[in-house]
Structure formats: structure tokens, C-alpha cells
């Protein structure tokens, strides 16, 4: 298979990061559910021994099959190329299970928590509402071959806004606050973190403007401008001093 390490490669990896940036920004929705005693070593072992091999195996199979047949949809390829009916059923069940677990992790939990926080809904009610709203987006239309260009453009556009937010969070936590946060005051409505950090808003908007200019690599293009602008504003702009550690 012919390929390139140029802009098309980075554009393809950007689409992957754009899709998973929602989970990256909402990782606290998962980490806050961890129980004491669950160390990173155990979690890494569980991930490396279960999820990672399956993900790499399916990705490798999809890559080889797509290269051999020219068809990018693995479900269509398996349905037409596999003669063994039990093997075909097992494979398709595995793909269906992977879709369910991935969507629950990436696309259900974050919006569920948001609806719970904004509208004070119960977890079950919020989850059902998220499922109904997802159904109203007609996902079966989005995955058609003729919709691929529009879906790619959609990911590029919303990634232009998620990339700057990621950059602001990284600069704020690792550089400005040096990985130190007062967790009790973080959730205090009258604490030092209350209100709107206009420096973060301006930096995110500036990063999004740069990203939209380079839409094919929007997520990457937004990181450096947003991070630098946020750092400078927090250091030198007076309205941001209240949020400065």
C-alpha cells in the first residue's frame, strides 16, 4: 500500500484524536469513580491484557483487509469475504459488542453527567435522554459512503474547538499550577475557582480561529496558539489574576 508521512497522514491521525478528544476532556468523569486502592499498575495490566490486544487485532485485520480488497468498511468486507458462517457470526458479534462498549464509554457518560449537573436529572433519566437524542441524529445516515466527506468535515470543525480547550487545561494544570489543585475548593461555588476565566475563553477562541484556518489538521493547529496565549494572559492580564495560582 502506498502512503505518505505528509499532511494526509497527520490529517487522518487528527480525525482519530478529534473523535477521542471528548473522552480526553471528560476524563474526570471516569477518574472520580475510582475507588481507593486501585493503583495505575493494576489498571495498566488489566488494559494491556484485555482491551489493548483486541483493539490492535481488529485494527490490524481491518488494515490488511482494506488494503487487499479496497473496501474500507470492515463489516461489509467480513460479510462478503468470510465463508465460515460460525466465524462470521462471532466476528460480527465482536464488532457489535465493541461498538456498544465504545459508545457507552465515549459518547454516553460525559453528556449524561452534563445533563445531570445542568438540569438536576437522575442518572437513569439522563442516560435514557442521551440515548434518545443520539437516535435523533440518524447515525445510520452518517456512516454511509456518501456521507463520509461531510462526517470528516464535521469532525474537523468541532475538533477546532476541543483542541484549544485541551491546550488550556494542560497549560493550566501542568505549567501554571504545577499539578496542584485544592479538590475541596474546586467544587465550592463560593471558592477561589468560581466565576468565568476570561483568559481561558479568549485563548480557546484564538486557538479555534487558527484551527479553522488549517481545518485539515485543526486539532493539532490549535494547541500551540491556545496554550501560549493562555499562559501570557494568566501571567500579565489583570482580570486573570484571581484565577492564577
Amino acid at each position: 500500500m502506498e502512503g505518505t508521512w505528509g499532511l494526509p497522514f497527520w490529517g487522518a491521525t487528527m480525525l482519530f484524536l478529534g473523535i477521542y478528544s471528548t473522552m480526553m476532556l471528560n476524563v474526570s468523569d471516569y477518574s472520580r469513580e475510582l475507588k481507593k486502592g486501585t493503583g495505575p499498575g493494576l489498571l495498566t495490566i488489566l488494559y494491556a491484557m484485555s482491551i489493548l490486544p483486541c483493539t490492535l487485532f481488529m485494527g490490524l485485520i481491518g488494515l490488511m483487509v482494506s488494503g487487499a480488497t479496497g473496501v474500507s468498511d470492515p463489516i461489509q468486507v467480513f460479510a462478503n469475504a468470510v465463508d465460515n458462517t460460525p466465524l462470521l457470526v462471532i466476528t460480527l458479534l465482536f464488532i457489535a459488542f465493541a461498538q456498544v462498549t465504545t459508545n457507552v464509554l465515549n459518547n454516553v457518560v460525559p453528556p449524561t453527567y452534563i445533563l445531570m449537573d445542568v438540569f438536576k436529572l437522575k442518572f437513569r433519566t439522563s442516560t435514557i435522554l442521551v440515548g434518545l437524542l443520539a437516535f435523533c441524529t440518524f447515525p445510520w445516515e452518517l456512516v454511509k459512503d456518501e456521507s463520509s466527506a461531510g462526517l470528516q468535515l464535521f469532525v474537523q470543525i468541532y475538533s477546532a474547538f476541543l483542541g484549544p480547550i485541551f491546550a488550556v487545561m494542560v497549560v493550566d494544570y501542568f505549567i501554571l499550577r504545577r499539578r496542584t489543585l485544592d479538590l475541596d475548593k474546586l467544587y465550592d461555588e463560593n471558592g477561589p475557582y468560581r466565576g468565568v476565566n476570561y483568559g481561558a475563553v479568549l485563548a480557546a477562541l484564538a486557538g479555534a480561529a487558527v484551527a479553522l484556518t488549517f481545518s485539515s489538521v485543526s486539532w493539532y493547529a490549535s494547541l500551540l496558539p491556545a496554550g501560549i496565549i493562555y499562559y501570557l494572559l494568566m501571567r500579565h492580564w489583570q482580570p486573570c489574576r484571581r484565577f492564577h495560582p
Side-chain angles (χ1 to χ4, degrees), residues 56-73:
L56 294 177
F57 175 75
M58 292 304 295
L60 181 61
I61 292 295
L63 176 64
M64 292 190 297
V65 170
S66 298
T69 64
V71 179
S72 59
D73 186 352

Side-chain angles (χ1 to χ4, degrees), residues 54-245:
C54 296
T55 303
L56 294 177
F57 175 75
M58 292 304 295
L60 181 61
I61 292 295
L63 176 64
M64 292 190 297
V65 170
S66 298
T69 64
V71 179
S72 59
D73 186 352
I75 298 178
Q76 182 179 347
V77 172
F78 280 118
N80 296 327
V82 178
D83 295 330
N84 189 313
T85 301
L87 178 61
L88 175 61
V89 171
I90 292 174
T91 303
L92 294 179
L93 285 175
F94 185 92
I95 293 176
F97 178 75
Q99 295 299 315
V100 171
T101 54
T102 301
N103 275 283
V104 168
L105 179 66
N106 293 350
N107 305 325
V108 174
V109 173
T112 294
Y113 277 126
I114 291 173
L115 292 178
M116 290 173 62
D117 183 57
V118 174
F119 300 104
K120 310 305 178 185
L121 300 176
K122 294 183 178 179
F123 180 81
R124 179 177 296 181
T125 304
S126 182
T127 304
I128 294 174
L129 184 58
V130 168
L132 293 175
L133 291 174
F135 183 81
C136 293
T137 64
F138 304 104
W140 54 90
E141 295 290 337
L142 297 176
V143 297
K144 290 183 177 179
D145 292 338
E146 56 268 26
S147 303
S148 59
L151 183 59
Q152 178 174 329
L153 180 62
F154 173 69
V155 175
Q156 290 172 345
I157 291 176
Y158 79 67
S159 297
F161 297 93
L162 298 182
I165 297 175
F166 175 76
V168 166
M169 293 175 66
V170 169
V171 171
D172 186 84
Y173 181 68
F174 285 98
I175 299 178
L176 293 174
R177 302 187 188 278
R178 301 184 184 276
R179 298 189 301 173
T180 300
L181 284 174
D182 190 328
L183 295 181
D184 293 330
K185 294 181 179 179
L186 188 63
Y187 296 96
D188 184 358
E189 295 181 354
N190 299 315
Y193 303 110
R194 71 185 184 279
V196 178
N197 186 340
Y198 293 103
V201 175
L202 291 175
L205 291 177
V210 175
L212 292 173
T213 306
F214 304 95
S215 60
S216 61
V217 288
S218 58
W219 198 90
Y220 291 123
S222 66
L223 298 180
L224 198 57
I228 293 175
I229 291 174
Y230 179 66
Y231 178 82
L232 294 176
L233 289 175
M234 292 295 287
R235 287 290 190 181
H236 304 293
W237 193 36
Q238 188 60 35
C240 291
R241 297 302 299 176
R242 184 169 67 85
F243 296 94
H244 195 283

Side-chain angles (χ1 to χ4, degrees), residues 43-53:
L43 294 178
T44 302
I45 293 174
L46 291 175
Y47 178 80
M49 298 298 293
S50 57
I51 301 175
L52 186 59

